Amino acid sequence: MTQQTEPARRKPLNRDRVLRAAVALADRAGIEALSMRSLAHELDVVPMALYKHVANKEQLLDGMVDVIVGEIDPPAGDADWKSAIRRRILSARRALLRHPWASRVIESRTSPTPGVLDYLNSIIGMFRAGGLSADLTHHAMHALGSRVWGFTQELFPASPGPAPADADPQALAALLGEMATRYPHIIEIVLARPHDGESVVGQGCDDQFEFEFALDLLLDGFERLHRQGWTSAERF
Amino acid sequence: MTQQTEPARRKPLNRDRVLRAAVALADRAGIEALSMRSLAHELDVVPMALYKHVANKEQLLDGMVDVIVGEIDPPAGDADWKSAIRRRILSARRALLRHPWASRVIESRTSPTPGVLDYLNSIIGMFRAGGLSADLTHHAMHALGSRVWGFTQELFPASPGPAPADADPQALAALLGEMATRYPHIIEIVLARPHDGESVVGQGCDDQFEFEFALDLLLDGFERLHRQGWTSAERF
DNA sequence: ACCTGAACACCGTTCAAGT
DNA sequence: ACCTGAACACCGTTCAAGT
């Protein structure tokens, strides 16, 4: 406890400060700008100093995931399991959206951290508390996949066109015309957005709507199977 | 046509040969072993020679994705849209499973290649031919997400334990005991596999079953909404 | 005993020198 | 005009030398 004999050059580094700085750096400069060297520079230490607190870069990324998972709200006291799980997953989604790099880092992890296991254990417990069998819950978790984290792989990351920032409206219209002849079905459904039908190009989809659409479709499906007393012994 | 004046030191390099060699190298040595340098070494050329055929490494990876997408079977002549789409997606899954690195590379692409657009256009066309509205098809494609490629992000990549290759059975049992007290719900559903209930640790799940479970749940959901005349103007 | 600068073994890509 | 070796600006991590 009386350890202030050390000359206080810098704030003493610890694992938590390293992880928080890494999250902040990734938030600000992007995950591709996060390197052991750039993080060390950020913390005003020599790169090797980081290796006192994380074994290697993989463990640094693991720790960053746990920081984000810690931001997910605990379960609220909903009456039914479906809305409780729905609410929790949407909370995870908000946490993920605050850190645009997080979904890609979660995808890249090869073994789960304690924080990840705690979250998954808790979600599974919510299904079981709702009365779903361990069997059905097992398959439900697989079906949700990365959706338990509040994200899914987007097919069209930003825009369907090859040159999204191209400012020339005439070239853009020509491009759309080419696309329409070669990929008529894609163009049709991209434009099939009744709510904001004014713009020529669909300027991206309502990601939140799409996420909830698929989530509700799955949750409703689980509920239906549960009511039917489904087991994996028989295919439905 | 009379161009054999060139002394034939090596087979002439072209884009197709570069892409095929890259796919073969990734299949054999893993995607992390694929670098512009290692690929050049494989083809007995100097690294810079590759830049004649691909602009950079990103474009190389794009080309590799197109090679794999080209392996997906064309649509079979199924009577109903649901089984036609199901069959096609399961064909995509087989192509992906032949190249374990492919799903991660597809995830990492930032803009779609022509081959990718052709495939997506074709799947969308199958929904439309089945009578689904452009609106519902739009949301269906989002809900499928990366599942149109035949893969989904697995929550437990290999095994739930931190030391999968640990041979000591006593230590493994102790680890399982620790896990069971800390993550009781996870352990319960991991063990809830009626078909191969003999093994103590569930030795991984039946990925094919899980994939088809979720795929069918989604396709059945789309069919139900279609029959109800659902539109995104109203929430279901 | 502890800390850390230099070094190692890589990357993708640029560029100028050589033929 | 074409090809390519060396170089540049990075990585994550090791390791031995210095205090």
Side-chain angles (χ1 to χ4, degrees), chain B residues 35-37 48 51 57:
Chain B
S35 68
M36 297 301 276
R37 286 163 135 102
M48 278 312 297
Y51 286 83
K57 193 181 181 181

Side-chain angles (χ1 to χ4, degrees), chain A residues 126-138:
Chain A
M126 293 168 86
F127 275 114
R128 298 288 287 122
L132 275 72
S133 71
D135 180 36
L136 179 54
T137 302
H138 179 124

Side-chain angles (χ1 to χ4, degrees), chain A residues 26-69:
Chain A
D27 284 347
R28 177 161 38 81
I31 192 70
E32 74 286 348
L34 176 76
S35 68
M36 296 301 275
R37 286 164 136 102
S38 65
L39 178 59
H41 180 79
E42 190 77 8
L43 287 162
D44 259 325
V45 296
V46 78
M48 278 311 296
L50 299 176
Y51 286 82
K52 278 274 132 59
H53 305 101
V54 289
N56 49 40
K57 193 179 180 183
E58 288 297 292
Q59 210 184 82
L60 173 74
L61 293 171
D62 281 344
M64 292 169 71
V65 168
D66 269 359
V67 169
I68 270 65
V69 170

Side-chain angles (χ1 to χ4, degrees), chain B residues 13-32:
Chain B
L13 213 57
N14 59 41
R15 187 181 154 86
D16 195 60
R17 231 164 67 79
V18 168
L19 295 182
R20 260 159 227 297
V23 166
L25 180 56
D27 283 348
R28 178 162 36 82
I31 191 70
E32 74 285 348

Side-chain angles (χ1 to χ4, degrees), chain A residues 2 15 35 41-42 50 68 71 80 90 97 121 128 145 169 174 189 196 200 208 211 214 224:
Chain A
T2 54
R15 187 181 154 86
S35 68
H41 180 79
E42 190 77 8
L50 299 176
I68 270 65
E71 293 180 8
D80 68 307
L90 291 180
L97 289 180
N121 186 66
R128 298 288 287 122
I189 70 160
D196 53 346
V200 182
Q208 187 67 25
F211 185 84
R224 193 170 288 115

Side-chain angles (χ1 to χ4, degrees), chain A residues 66-211:
Chain A
D66 269 359
V67 169
I68 270 65
V69 170
E71 293 180 8
I72 302 173
D73 294 333
D78 289 69
D80 68 307
W81 63 270
K82 217 170 70 169
S83 58
I85 289 171
R86 184 178 200 279
R87 187 196 297 268
R88 192 96 189 281
I89 289 177
L90 291 180
S91 164
R93 177 174 170 81
R94 285 192 300 276
L96 266 286
L97 289 180
R98 265 177 252 133
H99 309 280
W101 47 270
S103 61
R104 254 169 308 151
V105 173
I106 286 178
E107 278 174 352
S108 73
R109 297 305 78 209
T110 53
S111 69
T113 58
V116 163
L117 289 172
D118 277 332
Y119 174 70
L120 294 176
N121 186 66
S122 154
I123 292 280
I124 294 165
M126 293 168 86
F127 275 114
R128 298 288 287 122
L132 275 72
S133 71
D135 180 36
L136 179 54
T137 302
H138 179 124
H139 302 302
M141 290 299 291
H142 274 285
L144 284 174
S146 67
R147 229 177 287 262
V148 290
W149 299 116
F151 75 92
T152 37
Q153 177 70 11
E154 284 297 327
L155 258 13
F156 299 105
S159 134
D166 193 72
D168 185 352
Q170 190 155 0
L172 210 118
L175 187 72
L176 199 73
E178 270 177 52
M179 296 270 299
T181 58
R182 170 126 195 217
Y183 314 111
H185 299 305
I186 293 179
I187 294 299
E188 184 191 34
I189 70 160
V190 166
L191 297 179
R193 308 234 41 248
H195 289 101
D196 53 346
E198 295 85 17
S199 78
V200 182
V201 186
Q203 90 224 25
C205 303
D206 183 343
D207 287 335
Q208 187 67 25
F209 181 89
E210 303 304 345
F211 185 84

